[in-house]
Amino acid sequence: MALGEPPSLIIICPGASFAAALRQRFHVLDFFSSGQSPEAFLAAAAAAVPGPPRAAVVWAGGPFRVDAAFLDAVPSLRCVISTAAGVDHIDLHECARRGVVVANSGNVYSTDVADHAVGMLVDVLRRVSAAERFVRHGLWPVQGGYPLGSKLGGKRVGIIGLGNIGSLIAKRLQAFGCVIYYNSRTSKDSVSYKYFPNVLDLASESDVLIVACTLNKETRHIVNKQVLEALGKDGVVINVGRGANVDEVDLVHALQEGKIAGAGLDVFQNEPKVPAQLLAMDNVVLTPHVAAQTSESRSDLCDHTIRNLEAFFAGKPLLTPVLP
Amino acid sequence: MASSVTARASGGKPPQALLLLRRCDAAFHSALQQRFHVLDFFASGEPLPAFLAAAPEPPRAAVVMGGGVVRVDTAFLDAVPSLRCVVGTGAGVDHIDLDECARRGVAVANSGRVFSADAADHAVGALIAVLRRLSAAERFVRRGLWPLQGDYNLGSKLGGKRVGIIGLGNIGSLIAKRLEAFGCVINYNSRRPKESVSYNYFPNVHDLASESDVLVVACALNKETRHIVNKDVLAALGKDGIVVNIGRGANIDEAELVKALKEGTIAGAALDVFENEPKVPAELLSMDNVILSPHIAVFTSESRSDLRDHTIANLEAFFSGKPLLTPVFPNKVSHIAGKSNQ
């Protein structure tokens, strides 16, 4: 590649403005505007002139899995960047084996996800969206009083995963007077919240469970039937992790049978499908995977991705590397 | 009318007569009947003047609900001259003529801080719901649109938003504390600046609105604060601005608010109170950028139970000759700083 030519990179990410911003600095091979099949696109990228791409920006929500086959198809890749905090679409071990460095979105979305989780909890406990439906259906003049909600202050909130997002949720809920408990892979010396070594014990001592952990082998269905029973009939579950962190079938049963009191769900096991039974419930809040979606964080993501790419192409360490 | 349950007052004295001018749940009724001789207006089915005239023994205290049912004004006080104490069961006492009560030496109490945290929690929850389009996204999912229409519209971040709180009392302070944890910047207007806080004080609401992205109404309703959010303030707030009202409907010029929302003069609103409850302006019912709730900002089972305890504590203080726990006095200073109305 001639000196001064912008480096090549693959992007597999919907959103024209994102591609446009990257085009100002790099030579972009854009899957979503190529019109090609995934296989054809990767083959073409590997054969690209003046030089095949050394970096790829890969959307977490799409059809591509960055696995051995992907890396075989584009052997020039030395760096893969996820557009999310989650990297469950990337085989970290395979990348490490090949010396391919991986970065994620770091904290770009963390506050927005934390804000959404808190918003959903207030919504469930205080019936904000259910009250909205009541008013919009014209029921206020007809039915008069509305059912009481439940106070936030004093509730014991058990956070599963005290990473960036979990910590921000904790800080916000403390301002409401909640008591914070958590479960994480290891306890964190820097916080004064009470640590529980397993989620079952956490659930037994909590009024609310908030899933804010990554999805991996250990955390798949980390909230299951036993955990829901331990949480109990006044308990509320909030999920801003991944749908598969919760056993969705068990959750629906628990809600139908009154084994827990309510739930706030931004993620589901088979998005965009939402279990039909939930659509009829007033004690759940359902959102279409938008916890990270603000115009500000979209713009922050763009800046952050560019900074990671510039670091990589300048031979410097990534800002937000992810290791297996 | 009077309860058939025998009341047992403390100290073996006969229970004091208490005028009850609000609907109560069973637990509240029972708690009052155990301590006082309750004269229950809503159970009597009589019109108010007849009920007051027929009270079998002159009650010295009354428990009164707001919401337009009973107004404690000159006519009311004339009808029950034995009253020396009125206990309101809300934070707001705009249904009680404080000046008239003071003139007659009738002590007035409100609910103090019983509801403050719940009101603050609701205000914050409703603000998140507007900025992050929570209820609108909910509707999108429930209508089955997610598989059809794909991604939902972007919301707006809380962090960095400048929140202007009108009325930094109990509720306003709790709202401020919560929103600080989200990274909001807190501005406020109050009758006087508060030295104990570091938030930015603005001497009038127009300037507050100009420098804020969100306006939160958390003040009492009185002469000075009626329509305190008006056309001028809404224009100053601007096209990205959000209004949150957990005060009283009349704190905002509702017609101007609806117009501002229709014309995009402001970006959205979260309203728990309205000028003519339970009527909500029809135009709002079809808007996706508003959050509407039926005056429930203080509705939790926990605060209901706290209210019961608090009301009884105020009544027992009064009847034993002690000061009220949460007395309310007439305003002596105008809401607008620098202007005295006496």
Side-chain angles (χ1 to χ4, degrees):
Chain A
M1 205 166 58
L3 270 177
E5 280 229 23
S8 286
L9 65 100
I10 289 175
I11 71 169
I12 303 171
C13 181
S17 58
F18 189 66
L22 291 177
R23 277 200 187 93
Q24 287 173 12
R25 292 164 175 78
F26 309 105
H27 176 59
V28 170
L29 306 164
D30 180 354
F31 168 68
F32 277 96
S33 62
S34 71
Q36 296 170 305
S37 72
E39 297 76 19
F41 171 76
L42 291 180
V49 290
R54 293 169 56 224
V57 178
V58 185
W59 183 39
F64 284 80
R65 214 182 134 58
V66 180
D67 53 12
F70 185 102
L71 296 166
D72 281 341
V74 196
S76 54
L77 284 180
R78 313 307 306 141
C79 171
V80 176
I81 301 188
S82 171
T83 58
V87 290
D88 37 286
H89 59 307
I90 298 175
D91 186 334
L92 296 176
H93 284 102
E94 193 58 35
C95 287
R97 212 173 58 72
R98 297 170 188 237
V100 175
V101 292
V102 179
N104 69 356
S105 61
N107 290 338
V108 159
Y109 295 123
S110 303
T111 47
D112 285 333
V113 176
D115 293 350
H116 189 88
V118 173
M120 282 204 292
L121 178 59
V122 178
D123 194 327
V124 175
L125 286 176
R126 299 300 306 277
R127 303 168 168 268
V128 175
S129 292
E132 257 261 304
R133 285 192 285 279
F134 181 80
V135 173
R136 284 177 193 255
H137 290 151
L139 295 175
W140 191 6
V142 174
Q143 281 187 25
Y146 192 71
L148 297 174
S150 183
K151 194 183 205 63
L152 268 99
K155 292 279 188 296
R156 300 161 302 166
V157 175
I159 301 178
I160 303 173
L162 201 72
N164 291 324
I165 295 172
S167 303
L168 292 168
I169 291 172
K171 177 181 167 201
R172 281 146 178 70
L173 288 177
Q174 275 197 310
F176 287 81
C178 296
V179 175
I180 307 295
Y181 299 154
Y182 74 105
N183 165 260
S184 223
R185 272 171 301 190
T186 51
S187 70
K188 315 220 168 209
D189 293 329
S190 53
V191 303
S192 57
Y193 314 134
K194 185 170 174 190
Y195 174 73
F196 287 79
N198 68 70
V199 175
L200 194 61
D201 290 346
L202 180 71
S204 304
E205 299 293 316
S206 298
D207 305 302
V208 177
L209 268 189
I210 302 188
V211 181
C213 58
T214 51
L215 177 64
N216 53 44
K217 278 197 310 285
E218 287 80 30
T219 63
R220 188 174 185 281
H221 287 192
I222 196 171
V223 174
N224 58 18
K225 181 175 177 180
Q226 288 75 25
V227 168
L228 294 167
E229 275 171 6
L231 182 62
K233 65 173 185 59
D234 294 323
V236 173
V237 172
I238 303 291
N239 191 0
V240 289
R242 285 285 175 270
N245 284 123
V246 173
D247 185 325
E248 200 161 273
V249 172
D250 285 349
L251 178 68
V252 172
H253 280 156
L255 286 162
Q256 284 178 317
E257 293 162 15
K259 295 250 163 71
I260 63 170
L265 308 169
D266 186 53
V267 286
F268 303 84
Q269 288 206 198
N270 294 305
E271 294 170 21
K273 283 199 275 207
V274 172
Q277 303 91 323
L278 298 179
L279 298 177
M281 294 181 187
D282 241 13
N283 56 338
V284 301
V285 172
L286 311 165
T287 54
H289 206 148
V290 291
Q293 303 306 334
T294 64
S295 38
E296 292 87 346
S297 66
R298 275 286 168 89
S299 148
D300 290 347
L301 173 72
C302 201
D303 295 343
H304 178 83
T305 303
I306 288 170
R307 282 199 297 274
N308 261 319
L309 287 167
E310 289 181 336
F312 168 71
F313 286 123
K316 297 198 180 109
L318 296 171
L319 272 61
T320 51
V322 183
L323 302 169
Chain B
M1 282 287 279
S3 161
S4 60
V5 171
T6 308
R8 303 178 304 279
S10 55
K13 292 190 298 225
Q16 303 266 16
L18 173 69
L19 257 185
L20 179 61
L21 297 154
R22 73 156 283 154
R23 292 182 215 281
C24 291
D25 57 44
F28 202 163
H29 250 297
S30 168
L32 291 175
Q33 283 163 356
Q34 280 170 22
R35 293 163 175 80
F36 311 107
H37 179 194
V38 176
L39 309 170
D40 187 338
F41 166 58
F42 282 98
S44 76
E46 309 250 346
L48 186 58
F51 173 77
L52 295 177
E57 59 181 280
R60 293 173 56 230
V63 173
V64 186
M65 180 167 81
V69 178
V70 176
R71 230 192 119 57
V72 178
D73 54 12
T74 302
F76 179 93
L77 294 165
D78 280 342
V80 199
S82 55
L83 272 188
R84 314 308 306 140
C85 175
V86 175
V87 178
T89 54
V93 289
D94 39 286
H95 56 300
I96 299 175
D97 186 333
L98 297 176
D99 290 316
E100 192 58 34
C101 287
R103 197 173 4 262
R104 297 170 187 237
V106 175
V108 179
N110 70 355
S111 59
R113 289 174 199 255
V114 159
F115 294 125
S116 303
D118 284 336
D121 293 348
H122 183 94
V124 173
L127 175 59
I128 299 173
V130 175
L131 282 175
R132 298 299 305 274
R133 300 170 163 268
L134 246 173
S135 298
E138 252 261 313
R139 281 192 286 279
F140 180 78
V141 173
R142 284 178 192 257
R143 285 187 194 136
L145 296 175
W146 192 6
L148 301 178
Q149 285 187 22
D151 287 340
Y152 193 69
N153 297 343
L154 297 174
S156 182
K157 197 184 206 57
L158 268 98
K161 293 279 187 295
R162 300 162 303 166
V163 176
I165 302 176
I166 303 173
L168 202 71
N170 292 328
I171 297 174
S173 303
L174 292 173
I175 292 172
K177 176 181 168 202
R178 282 145 178 70
L179 289 177
E180 275 194 304
F182 287 82
C184 296
V185 173
I186 307 297
N187 301 330
Y188 73 105
N189 166 260
S190 220
R191 273 171 298 190
R192 284 175 289 280
K194 316 235 163 190
E195 270 147 31
S196 53
V197 304
S198 58
Y199 312 136
N200 307 312
Y201 175 73
F202 288 80
N204 68 71
V205 175
H206 175 97
D207 290 349
L208 179 72
S210 303
E211 298 294 316
S212 299
D213 305 301
V214 178
L215 266 190
V216 179
V217 180
C219 60
L221 176 64
N222 53 46
K223 278 196 311 283
E224 286 81 27
T225 63
R226 187 173 186 283
H227 285 195
I228 196 170
V229 175
N230 58 19
K231 179 175 176 174
D232 182 57
V233 169
L234 293 167
L237 181 62
K239 66 173 185 56
D240 294 323
I242 308 283
V243 172
V244 177
N245 191 1
I246 52 147
R248 286 286 176 269
N251 284 122
I252 298 183
D253 183 336
E254 197 163 276
E256 288 297 338
L257 177 67
V258 172
K259 196 149 164 258
L261 286 162
K262 271 170 42 173
E263 293 170 6
T265 307
I266 63 170
L271 309 171
D272 186 53
V273 287
F274 303 85
E275 289 207 271
N276 293 303
E277 294 171 22
K279 283 197 277 207
V280 173
E283 298 97 317
L284 298 179
L285 298 177
S286 53
M287 292 182 186
D288 250 6
N289 55 339
V290 301
I291 293 289
L292 308 168
S293 51
H295 205 147
I296 56 167
V298 303
F299 270 32
T300 64
S301 38
E302 292 87 346
S303 65
R304 275 291 165 88
S305 148
D306 291 346
L307 173 70
R308 186 174 66 235
D309 296 343
H310 180 86
T311 302
I312 287 170
N314 263 315
L315 288 167
E316 289 184 332
F318 168 71
F319 283 126
S320 52
K322 298 199 182 104
L324 295 173
L325 272 63
T326 52
V328 185
F329 304 106
N331 291 343
K332 287 278 187 256
V333 176
S334 162
H335 174 83
I336 296 142
K339 200 176 103 181
S340 156
N341 68 356
Q342 241 75 32

